[in-house]
Amino acid sequence: MLTLDQKFVVLENFGHSMRAPAYVVKPTSAEEISEAFELANKKGLTVTARGAGRSYNDASLNGGGLVLDMSTMNRIVEWDPQTGRVTAEPGVTLEKLWQQVEPDGWWPPVVSGTMYTTLGGCLGANIHGKNNFKEGTIGEHVVKFTAILPTGAKVVCSPQKNADLFYAMIGGLGMLGVFTSITLQMKRIYSGLLEVDARPSHDLHEHLTDILDLAPKYDYVVGWLDATAGGRGLGRGQIHAARYLKEGEDPNPQKTMQLKNQSLPPRIFGVFPKSILHYFMGPFVNNLGTLAVNTGKYFASLPHHTFRESHAAFHFLLDYIPDWELSYGRGGLIEYQSFVPKETAESAWAEMIRLSFKRGLPSYLGVTKRHRPDQFLLTHAVDGFSLAMDFKVTNGNRLKLSRMLQEFDQIVLEAGGRFYFAKNSETTPESAMRFLGKATIARFKKLKKRCDPKGLLESDLYKRVFEAG
Ligand SMILES: Cc1cc2nc3c(=O)[nH]c(=O)nc-3n(C[C@H](O)[C@H](O)[C@H](O)COP(=O)(O)OP(=O)(O)OC[C@H]3O[C@@H](n4cnc5c(N)ncnc54)[C@H](O)[C@@H]3O)c2cc1C
């Protein structure tokens, strides 16, 4: 029986730049989720589901409300190594998932840049991977899911059954119901290694042209963009294009697919524990330090080379340094990811990067990907590219940064672009209306009324983007 006898807990976004106090309960079953809705209704509270809290923004925060911490519903209920089909509770992390399926020759079809996200959170945001141009979002690999609605009703959805809910709840930011069981199709692999082609790009034009040209020939493409470089080097960086090894290419697949050959090593050079590395990074996480580090990284990346790398190392590079986000200091960080059509991306991003220099607020990390559209209701994808930019937040720059990101929004919207609700913290109701369109928002709200007539499901993000204004 769930009770609310505890005090508020202060929860944060992934980048530690936003916080909100909430009551936190940990349901262990679908019945307890229903109970939590009843309890919230009685106490006049709103409810938000939270996976691992790895969203860069307020997607799983609910100031003054009730948060359902889904991490205890974390069982893999069924795994069939013959068909590659898995059924799991929503609190299962991508880490637990790939570690279950890889030794049997399978890999999750879409993963985020960190393995610590949960399946519920990945469906809530409808995550994309470095293969978005080829495999679409995670939602395209969901065979079916079960969810509890705030009315207490249990729904089973698939592309064939309750299709309207299927395409709206995936990517619906947990605002229509709470996933309780997810069935996903894994992808067959013939090696624990990927072959990676690493090539430099000298400016933004070359960067985007290379991503466009390489995508059809590879399974994954991702770019590192040095957003501290201006002038003729604006948009320079390095592209990693990777492909699966075909059957027979890896002489010893059983060995390379073993977990011990995938896991990220706990020490750097076999000596320094990685857990303390972020302390050493801290002094470099400022405008000058990052300029120096990025310049060094760029020149080190100049030789075009090819190498083989484990799936885990390729996908989860950001997990290599535990708690790396702490190196951004007390104010934390936010990420701004824009999705812009391929025809307009170059000029839009050149304008944004120049503006960031003018404002003295360069991004310390830029990551580019190639995308294609999908049919989910609140989709963030376009036939184009995305650029994710990380910004350090301080008490001194918070307002200035926020204003600059509003300026970015206008540039992206003018270019016909979209935003990602798991990342951006500044999206306003007006911006959302412009990129999603009035009809889409009306459809989403109509479904919300049907699933959640009392308006119990609410997050800080939902209030900010869909209720304000
Ligand atoms: C280092 C890093 C790298 C990342 N790389 C990528 C990337 O490559 N691609 C990408 O797309 N994203 C990426 N992200 C973003 C991340 O994948 C998403 O924010 C994801 O939603 C986080 O999952 P989570 O389990 O932490 O969910 P949370 O952040 O806790 O929640 C995310 C959303 O899902 C909802 N939700 C959670 N559980 C449920 C449930 N059971 N039922 C219904 N709704 C639920 C929440 O209410 C919220 O709206 C990255 C994040 C980090 C920190």
Side-chain angles (χ1 to χ4, degrees), residues 196-381:
V196 186
D197 185 10
R199 52 178 79 207
S201 55
H202 302 90
D203 57 35
L204 189 54
H205 182 73
E206 190 185 359
H207 194 113
L208 297 181
T209 310
D210 272 358
I211 292 182
L212 201 61
D213 292 348
L214 291 168
K217 299 175 205 143
Y218 287 86
D219 295 302
Y220 299 96
V221 177
V222 63
W224 164 69
L225 186 144
D226 176 4
T228 58
R232 284 169 47 197
L234 188 142
R236 72 185 185 185
Q238 190 187 36
I239 316 285
H240 279 189
R243 66 170 183 87
Y244 293 110
L245 298 190
K246 295 192 195 83
E247 200 169 0
E249 269 191 284
D250 180 350
N252 204 345
Q254 300 313 332
K255 190 169 167 208
T256 58
M257 290 191 295
Q258 276 171 18
L259 293 187
K260 67 173 187 285
N261 294 320
Q262 291 288 324
S263 300
L264 309 174
R267 289 172 183 272
I268 299 277
F269 307 127
V271 181
F272 302 108
K274 285 190 312 179
S275 52
I276 58 167
L277 210 60
H278 67 86
Y279 293 112
F280 295 99
M281 289 162 64
F284 297 96
V285 183
N286 52 54
N287 288 4
L288 260 182
T290 312
L291 179 67
V293 170
N294 281 2
T295 305
K297 182 172 151 69
Y298 172 70
F299 284 107
S301 74
L302 280 180
H304 177 184
H305 59 292
T306 303
F307 57 97
R308 287 186 181 181
E309 190 174 36
S310 75
H311 289 263
F314 176 78
H315 288 290
F316 308 124
L317 187 69
L318 287 167
D319 294 337
Y320 233 79
I321 302 169
D323 301 325
W324 60 268
E325 72 282 4
L326 296 178
S327 66
Y328 276 73
R330 292 167 69 114
L333 84 146
I334 51 176
E335 186 162 290
Y336 182 95
Q337 188 174 19
S338 53
F339 292 71
V340 184
K342 55 186 186 309
E343 296 77 15
T344 49
E346 188 180 331
S347 63
W349 288 338
E351 192 182 346
M352 281 158 57
I353 295 168
R354 284 196 194 103
L355 187 64
S356 73
F357 297 152
K358 205 166 144 192
R359 301 277 180 267
L361 295 167
S363 157
Y364 296 163
L365 177 68
V367 176
T368 48
K369 291 184 195 138
R370 172 85 173 104
H371 298 272
R372 67 150 162 83
D374 58 63
Q375 47 180 326
F376 293 89
L377 189 60
L378 300 187
T379 180
H380 53 272

Side-chain angles (χ1 to χ4, degrees), residues 410-424:
Q410 297 314 311
I411 298 170
V412 172
L413 289 167
E414 282 302 307
R418 305 175 83 90
F419 307 105
Y420 184 24
F421 286 123
K423 305 245 174 130
N424 295 24

Side-chain angles (χ1 to χ4, degrees), residues 9-27 33 36-37 46-63 65-74 89-93 116-125 173-175 177-179 325 422 457-461:
V9 175
V10 178
L11 298 172
E12 295 189 334
N13 63 334
F14 167 72
H16 308 289
S17 56
M18 303 168 111
R19 40 194 71 84
Y23 292 111
V24 179
V25 293
K26 291 190 171 190
I33 295 171
F37 280 125
T46 57
V47 181
T48 304
R50 183 172 169 97
R54 297 262 154 180
S55 292
Y56 278 89
N57 61 8
D58 45 1
S60 59
L61 298 180
N62 185 15
L66 181 65
V67 168
L68 306 180
D69 176 342
M70 302 300 294
S71 60
T72 37
M73 287 183 68
N74 64 357
E89 290 184 326
V92 166
T93 58
Y116 304 127
T117 49
T118 65
L119 287 181
C122 289
L123 259 63
L173 307 158
M175 290 297 104
V178 177
F179 303 116
E325 72 282 4
L457 281 167
E458 241 185 24
S459 60
D460 286 358
L461 181 148

Side-chain angles (χ1 to χ4, degrees), residues 88-107:
E89 290 184 326
V92 166
T93 58
L94 289 182
E95 178 182 32
K96 187 164 178 174
L97 179 63
W98 75 257
Q99 294 192 348
Q100 170 80 46
V101 304
E102 206 201 15
D104 293 326
W106 299 88
W107 183 258

